[in-house]
Amino acid sequence: MSRSVLYTSSPLLASKTPVWRSKFIVAVVALGFLGLAARAAYIQVVANAFFQRQGEVRFARTLELPASRGRILDRNGLILASSVPAPSLWAIPEDVDRDPVKLRELARLIEMPLAELNKKLEDEDKTFVWIKRQVDEPVARKVAELGIKGIYQRKEYKRQYPEGESAAHVVGFTNVEDQGQEGIELAFNKDLGGKPGSRRVIKDRLGRVVEDVGEQIPPMDGRDIELSIDSKVQFFAYQRLREAVIANKAKAGSVVVIDSSTGEVLALANYPSYQPDKRQNLSGEQLRNRALTDTFEPGSTMKPITVGMALEAGRITPQTIIDTTPGRLTITGSTITDTHNYGVLTVEGVIQKSSNVGATKIAQRMSPHEMWDTYSALGFGQKPQISFPGAVSGRVRPYKSWRPIEQATMSYGYGLSASLFQMVRSYTAFAHDGEIIPATILKNDNRASGVKVFSPQTATAVRKMLQMAAGPGGTGMKAQTVGYSVGGKSGTAHKQVGKGYASNKYRSWFTGMAPIDKPRIIVGVMVDEPSAGQYYGGTVAAPVFSEVVQQTLRMMGVQPDLSVKPQVVAQEVEESF
């Protein structure tokens, strides 16, 4: 039997509650709701933008859509550099499936030690880590087939260089972020790189895209760059240079080929070189573009310029007699010597025999100011105006500070410095009817116009002397080639070590042009520190010049101007240096 409860008999329930207490409780609850409503209004209306930004920071992401980098092409449209898809692998360490079999296979596919892979994944606090940048697409597909949770891929591109080491110093290379670091890749990085697009998305906490937000901006691919380089000429020049450096046990070498009509650089080769897309253990010796970055005293290759300025000034003619007896000349206590006593020579003979004494006596007929003006007009002491990084200016001291012995040594290539590129360009004044023309690394089919330095008559006279210097009795007989007349000047310079010159270290040069009556190309060759017994420019550098000239003119379709083979000379002629 249930007992009834008399609530009125309970002292607690029977007591009277003050009215203000219940009102107070209702007021507190009402204030709480009012505060929540005010906070909601603040968040939704007043500070809406701030909280939206905070939400976007946590969940919204702007994904970059990479642009495809433009191609680098040679003058005939052959590819020197191009981009190919190369996915990159990344991971969220805390989400990665640690299946040892799958991780071992992943390490094998990306050619990474398993220990290194595990080290990348060991920090589980990380929400992002690169596993491997820019892997080949077949590898990326096999990685995807493994289905490892937490391993993702990002679309990227990497560069390929079909011409490899032969054109490495021209095209340069990019880094893993696809930014140009050397060569044309660096010089035209903005044009080649294009403009990346973007995609605004919402991601969840695991980094997965949930939905797209806003309009997608497509990428603008980079534009192609068409160079003046002929890849066939470039490859041949590189191969001949490489053979010469190895055969002469030299330290390095360079070749420059310029079209004397347009100023286009057809080849710019250096050895040692490197593979632009495989740069492990790369050294500065391989990376340096010596034809543009290295300057040296050019030696006897400056003598035609000395003669040219004296002819232009009217101080001499090609048949002016220069007495070089007894093969030496003392100026303010310093003695200038020739390798032989050539006796009495014409100006043409001074170039043919490469007489230091003769060049000095010709220079003494001019003022330092006249010589300096001509050097400056030919680009010496000035940075070459070419769209290429690393080009240096060389050095020509102000004429007011020249001493008599310095004016003398400059006449035969000592006391000033220039790069091989500067030397080759300076010879355009002889090949282009007395005009020094601008050189370009970009394709340009139009005949170049330049600045007049010499008259056409002076240019023709110097070309004849260069032909004599490269012919029988000259110092550059090995420069002769089959089917084409050539002219050029060899040079052999002691290398400067500290404040003096090394007695057993040389640089061997040859700079010249062909065909000699209407030159189409100018070629410069430099071999650094030949040490196989021969070191004269006419012996070491001239044969490379000969082969490059013959092959280049044939590739260009230039008709031969000689019907007989060049004379085979058994005896070598030594040059003064």
Side-chain angles (χ1 to χ4, degrees):
M1 180 178 177
S2 61
R3 295 173 59 188
S4 59
V5 179
L6 298 176
Y7 292 98
T8 55
S9 64
S10 172
L12 181 62
L13 296 177
S15 63
K16 292 184 178 181
T17 303
V19 176
W20 66 266
R21 184 182 296 179
S22 60
K23 291 182 178 179
F24 174 76
I25 294 173
V26 172
V28 169
V29 172
L31 285 174
F33 277 107
L34 184 62
L36 290 174
R39 181 62 178 171
Y42 176 78
I43 293 174
Q44 296 293 328
V45 180
V46 180
N48 176 269
F50 171 79
F51 287 102
Q52 269 199 322
R53 283 197 302 271
Q54 293 302 308
E56 288 178 358
V57 166
R58 289 162 174 76
F59 299 106
R61 296 288 185 271
T62 299
L63 302 181
E64 182 180 284
L65 302 177
S68 179
R69 194 171 175 86
R71 300 175 301 171
I72 300 175
L73 309 173
D74 85 338
R75 65 183 302 104
N76 300 309
L78 297 178
I79 295 175
L80 300 178
S82 63
S83 292
V84 295
S88 289
L89 307 178
W90 63 279
I92 301 176
E94 62 181 354
D95 295 341
V96 172
D97 180 4
R98 302 306 175 98
D99 185 329
V101 176
K102 289 185 177 181
L103 290 181
R104 190 178 298 110
E105 179 63 13
L106 173 62
R108 186 190 69 80
L109 286 172
I110 63 176
E111 299 179 348
M112 178 183 291
L114 181 59
E116 183 179 345
L117 176 60
N118 287 328
K119 185 176 181 181
K120 286 177 177 287
L121 300 174
E122 68 184 6
D123 188 352
E124 295 189 357
D125 290 334
K126 289 183 179 178
T127 58
F128 179 92
V129 64
W130 285 115
I131 300 297
K132 185 73 175 285
R133 300 293 296 273
Q134 298 180 350
V135 301
D136 294 333
E137 280 200 305
V139 173
R141 284 196 296 268
K142 291 179 180 179
V143 170
E145 290 171 0
L146 290 176
I148 304 176
K149 181 185 176 183
I151 301 292
Y152 304 96
Q153 297 187 16
R154 175 181 175 182
K155 182 180 179 181
E156 290 189 324
Y157 296 92
K158 72 175 180 179
R159 298 294 265 177
Q160 285 189 337
Y161 302 95
E163 294 300 313
E165 61 184 26
S166 68
H169 292 100
V170 174
V171 298
F173 57 87
T174 61
N175 60 13
V176 73
E177 301 295 340
D178 219 18
Q179 296 296 309
Q181 302 296 295
E182 290 287 342
I184 296 298
E185 294 279 30
L186 173 59
F188 293 90
N189 184 62
K190 185 175 181 180
D191 297 303
L192 288 165
K195 187 176 181 180
S198 62
R199 175 190 175 198
R200 192 72 174 165
V201 300
I202 298 295
K203 287 188 173 184
D204 63 13
R205 60 175 294 273
L206 300 179
R208 296 173 299 194
V209 174
V210 176
E211 63 175 317
D212 288 301
V213 180
E215 184 178 355
Q216 179 173 307
I217 302 175
M220 293 178 59
D221 292 341
R223 72 177 181 90
D224 295 343
I225 300 295
E226 191 171 19
L227 303 183
S228 61
I229 295 293
D230 187 314
S231 58
K232 294 181 180 178
V233 175
Q234 177 77 21
F235 179 78
F236 186 84
Y238 174 76
Q239 289 296 321
R240 298 291 81 79
L241 174 67
R242 180 176 180 273
E243 291 169 2
V245 169
I246 293 173
N248 289 282
K249 298 180 180 178
K251 183 179 179 181
S254 300
V255 173
V256 176
V257 182
I258 289 181
D259 187 319
S260 60
S261 175
T262 63
E264 294 172 296
V265 179
L266 301 179
L268 194 158
N270 296 277
Y271 184 82
S273 187
Y274 62 95
Q275 290 287 351
D277 53 355
K278 298 176 182 177
R279 300 187 301 277
Q280 293 83 357
N281 303 317
L282 183 64
S283 68
E285 291 290 303
Q286 297 168 289
L287 187 62
R288 198 161 75 245
N289 190 342
R290 298 170 183 272
L292 285 166
T293 63
D294 288 15
T295 60
F296 10 77
E297 293 172 311
S300 295
T301 52
M302 290 296 292
K303 290 173 183 173
I305 294 174
T306 300
V307 169
M309 64 177 73
L311 286 171
E312 191 69 18
R315 311 296 162 77
I316 58 171
T317 69
Q319 300 305 318
T320 297
I321 299 299
I322 306 293
D323 187 1
T324 67
T325 307
R328 59 182 180 274
L329 178 67
T330 300
I331 299 177
T332 60
S334 300
T335 301
I336 296 167
T337 61
D338 287 337
T339 54
H340 302 286
N341 178 10
Y342 295 115
V344 177
L345 297 171
T346 63
V347 169
E348 290 178 340
V350 169
I351 296 299
Q352 183 183 33
K353 299 298 182 182
S354 194
S355 169
N356 291 341
V357 173
T360 298
K361 289 192 172 183
I362 292 171
Q364 287 176 330
R365 302 186 181 205
M366 294 175 290
S367 68
H369 193 178
E370 288 175 306
M371 293 179 65
W372 187 88
D373 280 347
T374 304
Y375 289 149
S376 296
L378 293 174
F380 294 107
Q382 303 166 33
K383 185 176 180 180
Q385 298 300 307
I386 185 171
S387 302
F388 209 90
V392 294
S393 60
R395 180 173 177 267
V396 179
R397 291 177 56 240
Y399 66 89
K400 290 183 179 180
S401 63
W402 290 6
R403 295 175 296 156
I405 187 60
E406 290 174 322
Q407 181 180 357
T409 58
M410 286 184 192
S411 71
Y412 57 89
Y414 281 84
L416 73 166
S417 65
S419 66
L420 178 63
F421 184 85
Q422 287 176 302
M423 283 304 308
V424 174
R425 179 175 176 257
S426 72
Y427 271 46
T428 64
F430 301 130
H432 201 82
D433 294 329
E435 288 184 349
I436 178 78
I437 60 175
T440 177
I441 198 73
L442 301 177
K443 186 176 180 181
N444 172 34
D445 293 325
N446 300 321
R447 180 176 174 81
S449 60
V451 177
K452 182 180 177 182
V453 180
F454 305 119
S455 67
Q457 294 75 22
T458 295
T460 300
V462 173
R463 287 203 304 269
K464 180 183 176 183
M465 297 179 201
L466 292 174
Q467 185 177 21
M468 293 173 62
T475 59
M477 292 177 288
K478 290 187 176 182
Q480 295 183 72
T481 189
V482 177
Y484 299 100
S485 60
V486 300
K489 187 69 189 74
S490 58
T492 309
H494 283 288
K495 288 190 70 172
Q496 195 168 8
V497 179
K499 295 183 179 181
Y501 293 92
S503 60
N504 60 345
K505 292 184 179 181
Y506 306 89
R507 282 192 177 95
S508 304
W509 298 65
F510 195 93
T511 305
M513 59 197 70
I516 199 63
D517 288 334
K518 293 183 178 180
R520 184 62 193 277
I521 59 171
I522 304 168
V523 178
V525 180
M526 187 279 294
V527 179
D528 187 14
E529 288 190 32
S531 58
Q534 301 288 346
Y535 54 82
Y536 286 111
T539 304
V540 175
V544 180
F545 169 91
S546 172
E547 293 178 298
V548 171
V549 163
Q550 182 170 322
Q551 189 71 12
T552 301
L553 291 177
R554 285 180 177 176
M555 290 177 180
M556 296 174 72
V558 177
Q559 291 295 317
D561 64 337
L562 294 179
S563 58
V564 295
K565 292 184 178 181
Q567 179 180 351
V568 178
V569 183
Q571 182 179 4
E572 296 173 0
V573 178
E574 293 181 348
E575 61 191 84
S576 297
F577 55 89

